[in-house]
Amino acid sequence: MESEDKIIHLKSDILDIWNESVFTHESSIKWFEDLQNILFEFFDIQQAKYFIYDAETFLQLSWNHSFTKKLNAIKWSEIETFFYDKDFIDVHTLQIKYSSDNDVALLLRDVDLQPLGLIIMESTEKWKEFSQTPQLEEFMLTITKLVKTIKKSVYLTQQENQYRNLFNVTKMFNSTLDIGQILEGTLNSIQIAFPNFKPILILSNDQDRKTSAPYKLFDYTTERNTTVEAYVSGEITTELAQDLGVRLLNIPIVGKQGIYGILQISAPLDYLFSIRQKEYAILLAEAAGNALENAKLYIQSHRLVSDLQLINETSHKLNMNLSLDEMVIFLRDQLMKFFQPEHVGFVFIENDEYKISPASTELFHTMDGQLYIQYITNHFKTEKDSVFIADFNRLTDLKYEYRSLVAIPLKEQSNITGFSIIMHKEPYYFSFDNYKLMQSLIQHSSLAISNSTLRNKLQKMVDRDHLTNLFARNYLDRFVEKAMETDDKGVFVLIDIDNFKRINDTHGHQKGDEILIQIARVIQGMIENRGISARWGGEELALYLSKLSLEQGVELAKQLLMAIPQKTNPSVTVSIGVSSWQKSDNLSFNKLFHNADTVLYKAKNNGKNQLCVYKASHSL
């Protein structure tokens, strides 16, 4: 009877705990302090500990339960067999640290016999006596109901706080398409939920670099294995990072179309994350992932329009019959404008040699720039794929100043005719979207560049005499006419090879061609950049000397008259006619040519191998 009264009073006091503590916060342990008082009152028990069951582990309840050290937690798998057919055993059987061999352990279970909690307390004489009575089962049932109710209340309270926080941040996510605000909101929310821990965002290499939110870029080569696993699988991972002195929780930031990074939380080594904490972090990361995805899709839609405008504008400009130099300069400016690199270069292949375009920025004309050019050149000698390097220094033991690099080949059909390259000092500066856009831009430009190159080749064939490589007569005509419009003076020289028909008849036309080539070389070597030379027709050659006086022109013609017989085999002589003009003469090109032609025939009629000069009053 006494024991029945005792259990009635005991249950009554426990019910009072329920009434007072059912709505307390998780961090409060007042309900267990009240229970300790009851244990002392009824059983003289002075020492008792309560362990919350979470994630297959028993964690000791304390005033600051969420952030207590948990290295000495009790794993259910290690003690489960001892409670196979009982809920009450001596602690010395379990070999639990920080408990006495005289203590007892009470396992509290739910209706499915799954653990709810564990009480470890000292075993007094009163308790030993009570534990042998039938009322023990009723006591255990009452304590179990109390723990279950409080646990549910705490769970609901915590869940309410979490969902309120999650609702507020999701509301903010839905009100903005600013990636920076989304990232900052994610970090703020996780810091509210885990105020004593350090969160960090590890994002894929396609984020808006203008954001002020702190983050690092994801790199397969340097990230920890658990971080890579979370990123690849989309599943949460944890790691006891002894080398860092922390426990890491990696939560993938997942959207509907992909994984955009990792939300990583660093906690003390001896801390265990609860199931609810993990669930909250997953929900937050998913909300952030969806918000990032929406923002990215919005940005990409606008960027796509901008990209199409860029390609259309570039294609339109390149189809305006520009010269090759004008095209390359325009492309350089477009690349600088849209990708904002620190350097842009263009390299063209001519006769198996790689030549750097003058339009390339200054670095590529230095020895330092040659290192990058050589690397890309070697790549395109064996591969035809574009080059996208996020961090150059990861590919070599040398430390390069410019770490981000994109190089796109210029192609004519399937042949590589050159390449375009952009670089920046900052690693991971160019996104994959930048790379794809530049690919598209250069591919669209390749055809226009090829057409311009072909036009240049065709024009060169038209402008040059194929035998002597001197300019053709039509080119010289245009050059002189233009010079007479812009210059103040100039000299026109006509040269005729003496007895050229005799050379052909005696030695053959092939030898005649060789003579023409030899004389062309003499002329080109002598006039250098003072004018241009052309094959006027047959055995006649012509020179125009820009901005030279008649005296200077005559001196050069005399040198030719003497040099040609010495440098031809068989040796030949020439007859030369020289005319000049000045701005005040108001002379036409036809008249200038006629004057030179007149004195040329005078030289030939006077015995050949001589020079005659036309002057307004007479010829010499």
Side-chain angles (χ1 to χ4, degrees):
M1 187 69 180
E2 181 181 350
S3 60
E4 292 180 1
D5 290 340
K6 189 173 185 176
I7 193 63
I8 290 172
H9 288 295
L10 187 57
K11 290 171 62 177
S12 176
D13 289 350
I14 292 174
L15 181 61
D16 289 340
I17 296 176
W18 185 90
N19 288 330
E20 293 177 4
S21 305
V22 69
F23 296 112
T24 57
H25 192 270
E26 181 188 18
S27 63
S28 172
I29 60 171
K30 186 176 183 306
W31 72 270
F32 188 66
E33 289 181 339
D34 292 340
L35 181 61
Q36 285 179 303
N37 291 334
I38 292 173
L39 294 174
F40 177 74
E41 178 185 348
F42 284 89
F43 307 115
D44 294 336
I45 295 174
Q46 295 185 2
Q47 298 293 329
K49 301 173 185 176
Y50 177 70
F51 292 79
I52 296 173
Y53 182 73
D54 187 32
E56 304 293 324
T57 307
F58 292 99
L59 309 170
Q60 185 177 348
L61 179 66
S62 68
W63 278 102
N64 196 17
H65 170 69
S66 295
F67 309 108
T68 54
K69 292 185 177 181
K70 301 179 181 181
L71 191 60
N72 299 313
I74 304 170
K75 294 187 178 296
W76 172 233
S77 59
E78 295 175 356
I79 65 172
E80 183 178 5
T81 54
F82 297 107
F83 291 99
Y84 177 70
D85 57 354
K86 62 186 76 172
D87 296 330
F88 166 58
I89 61 173
D90 293 332
V91 168
H92 70 83
T93 307
L94 304 179
Q95 297 181 341
I96 297 174
K97 294 181 180 180
Y98 309 110
S99 62
S100 169
D101 288 345
N102 294 326
D103 290 349
V104 294
L106 281 64
L107 179 65
L108 310 177
R109 305 177 190 254
D110 61 17
V111 293
D112 297 322
L113 301 181
Q114 294 301 309
L116 288 173
L118 185 69
I119 297 176
I120 296 179
M121 62 187 186
E122 63 178 319
S123 180
T124 63
E125 291 299 325
K126 286 186 178 181
W127 170 257
K128 291 178 181 178
E129 180 182 341
F130 178 76
S131 65
Q132 301 302 317
T133 67
Q135 281 72 37
L136 175 62
E137 184 178 351
E138 193 171 354
F139 169 78
M140 293 286 289
L141 183 61
T142 303
I143 294 294
T144 299
K145 287 182 178 178
L146 171 65
V147 169
K148 185 177 180 180
T149 304
I150 289 178
K151 188 172 184 178
K152 183 177 181 180
S153 175
V154 168
Y155 175 79
L156 291 174
T157 302
Q158 184 191 46
Q159 189 179 55
E160 179 185 358
N161 293 334
Q162 289 179 344
Y163 276 103
R164 184 180 292 112
N165 185 14
L166 194 61
F167 173 79
N168 290 334
V169 72
T170 304
K171 182 178 178 182
M172 185 275 288
F173 287 166
N174 292 333
S175 66
T176 183
L177 290 170
D178 186 303
I179 289 178
Q181 289 186 14
I182 295 169
L183 297 178
E184 288 173 358
T186 303
L187 286 175
N188 290 338
S189 295
I190 210 70
Q191 285 172 337
I192 291 173
F194 302 92
N196 291 2
F197 299 160
K198 179 184 177 182
I200 186 171
L201 291 168
I202 307 174
L203 304 179
S204 57
N205 184 28
D206 56 359
Q207 305 303 323
D208 186 350
R209 293 180 170 271
K210 297 179 181 179
T211 177
S212 60
Y215 71 92
K216 60 176 281 193
L217 290 171
F218 183 89
D219 185 349
Y220 279 101
T221 62
T222 59
E223 297 299 342
R224 304 181 74 87
N225 290 338
T226 54
T227 307
V228 174
E229 181 185 348
Y231 185 82
V232 173
S233 68
E235 300 292 335
I236 190 170
T237 63
T238 59
E239 178 186 359
L240 197 63
Q242 297 282 4
D243 56 325
L244 300 178
V246 296
R247 182 182 294 272
L248 297 177
L249 181 67
N250 300 301
I251 310 103
I253 301 173
V254 183
K256 292 182 176 61
Q257 297 183 6
I259 299 174
Y260 301 100
I262 296 293
L263 172 58
Q264 188 179 81
I265 304 173
S266 299
L269 277 171
D270 47 13
Y271 184 82
L272 295 177
F273 291 95
S274 70
I275 291 177
R276 287 193 297 277
Q277 289 172 329
K278 292 179 181 178
E279 287 176 347
Y280 173 76
I282 291 172
L283 289 173
L284 176 62
E286 287 180 351
N290 288 327
L292 279 175
E293 189 167 80
N294 290 335
K296 285 166 60 64
L297 289 173
Y298 174 79
I299 292 171
Q300 286 174 356
S301 65
H302 281 259
R303 185 178 295 154
L304 180 59
V305 173
S306 176
D307 292 352
L308 291 173
Q309 289 174 340
L310 167 63
I311 294 172
N312 182 61
E313 174 189 342
T314 303
S315 299
H316 179 72
K317 184 76 173 180
L318 295 180
N319 288 324
M320 293 176 64
N321 202 26
L322 301 177
S323 69
L324 180 60
D325 289 341
E326 290 172 331
M327 284 186 180
V328 174
I329 290 172
F330 174 72
L331 273 177
R332 179 200 64 194
D333 294 342
Q334 292 290 81
L335 294 176
M336 291 292 289
K337 175 182 176 182
F338 282 88
F339 302 109
Q340 299 182 348
E342 291 180 302
H343 289 285
V344 176
F346 289 89
V347 177
F348 294 97
I349 303 173
E350 296 181 13
N351 301 321
D352 293 328
E353 293 184 3
Y354 286 74
K355 296 186 178 181
I356 300 171
S357 167
S360 303
T361 50
E362 184 178 354
L363 175 73
F364 295 110
H365 301 286
T366 67
M367 291 301 297
D368 289 340
Q370 289 295 321
L371 295 175
Y372 302 96
I373 294 294
Q374 189 61 50
Y375 181 89
I376 301 302
T377 297
N378 291 338
H379 170 85
F380 286 130
K381 283 181 179 178
T382 57
E383 304 289 339
K384 293 188 176 182
D385 296 333
S386 301
V387 178
F388 179 36
I389 300 175
D391 188 351
F392 211 146
N393 288 347
R394 297 194 180 281
L395 303 179
T396 174
D397 294 333
L398 300 175
K399 297 302 179 185
Y400 286 90
E401 183 178 8
Y402 296 89
R403 298 171 65 178
S404 292
L405 183 152
V406 178
I408 312 296
L410 295 162
K411 293 182 179 181
E412 184 176 323
Q413 296 179 344
S414 61
N415 298 319
I416 294 179
T417 58
F419 59 86
S420 173
I421 177 173
I422 60 175
M423 300 194 306
H424 199 282
K425 291 179 180 178
E426 184 180 340
Y428 298 92
Y429 183 80
F430 303 115
S431 69
F432 190 70
D433 288 339
N434 291 153
Y435 166 65
K436 298 302 288 184
L437 175 59
M438 184 173 169
Q439 263 192 324
S440 180
L441 184 64
I442 296 302
Q443 286 171 2
H444 278 79
S445 305
S446 287
L447 180 59
I449 291 174
S450 296
N451 288 340
S452 178
T453 303
L454 181 59
R455 283 199 304 271
N456 288 346
K457 291 179 180 178
L458 292 173
Q459 189 63 51
K460 184 176 180 180
M461 292 174 64
V462 172
D463 292 341
R464 294 276 182 177
D465 174 62
H466 73 280
L467 177 64
T468 62
N469 201 35
L470 298 177
F471 286 105
R473 177 172 179 171
N474 287 339
Y475 183 87
L476 182 67
D477 288 351
R478 295 194 302 271
F479 185 90
V480 176
E481 287 174 350
K482 185 176 181 180
M484 294 182 74
E485 292 176 358
T486 57
D487 297 344
D488 294 326
K489 59 187 176 183
V491 177
F492 186 76
V493 180
L494 270 177
I495 302 173
D496 186 83
I497 303 173
D498 296 334
N499 305 314
F500 189 67
K501 185 177 185 301
R502 186 186 305 168
I503 296 292
N504 284 332
D505 293 342
T506 305
H507 300 282
H509 287 278
Q510 184 174 356
K511 181 59 69 173
D513 289 345
E514 291 178 6
I515 293 294
L516 284 168
I517 294 171
Q518 293 169 11
I519 294 175
R521 288 174 181 168
V522 174
I523 293 172
Q524 288 174 321
M526 196 165 288
I527 67 170
E528 296 178 335
N529 60 351
R530 290 176 288 182
I532 68 168
S533 54
R535 185 177 180 185
W536 198 252
E539 67 271 25
E540 284 190 331
L541 308 172
L543 288 75
Y544 180 75
L545 306 172
S546 300
K547 301 179 183 179
L548 265 62
S549 65
L550 178 61
E551 291 75 13
Q552 292 172 313
V554 169
E555 181 61 29
L556 179 60
K558 287 179 179 179
Q559 294 174 13
L560 287 172
L561 188 68
M562 295 177 61
I564 289 173
Q566 298 173 4
K567 295 185 178 182
T568 52
N569 184 23
S571 177
V572 296
T573 61
V574 294
S575 300
I576 301 176
V578 181
S579 65
S580 66
W581 70 278
Q582 295 181 352
K583 198 77 171 177
S584 57
D585 294 341
N586 196 24
L587 203 67
S588 68
F589 171 57
N590 284 337
K591 182 61 177 172
L592 180 68
F593 159 66
H594 178 74
N595 294 341
D597 193 47
T598 298
V599 293
L600 170 63
Y601 279 93
K602 182 177 180 181
K604 293 185 76 67
N605 292 331
N606 287 345
K608 305 177 182 178
N609 191 23
Q610 58 184 278
L611 176 152
C612 285
V613 181
Y614 181 89
K615 289 192 175 181
S617 57
H618 60 279
S619 15
L620 300 176

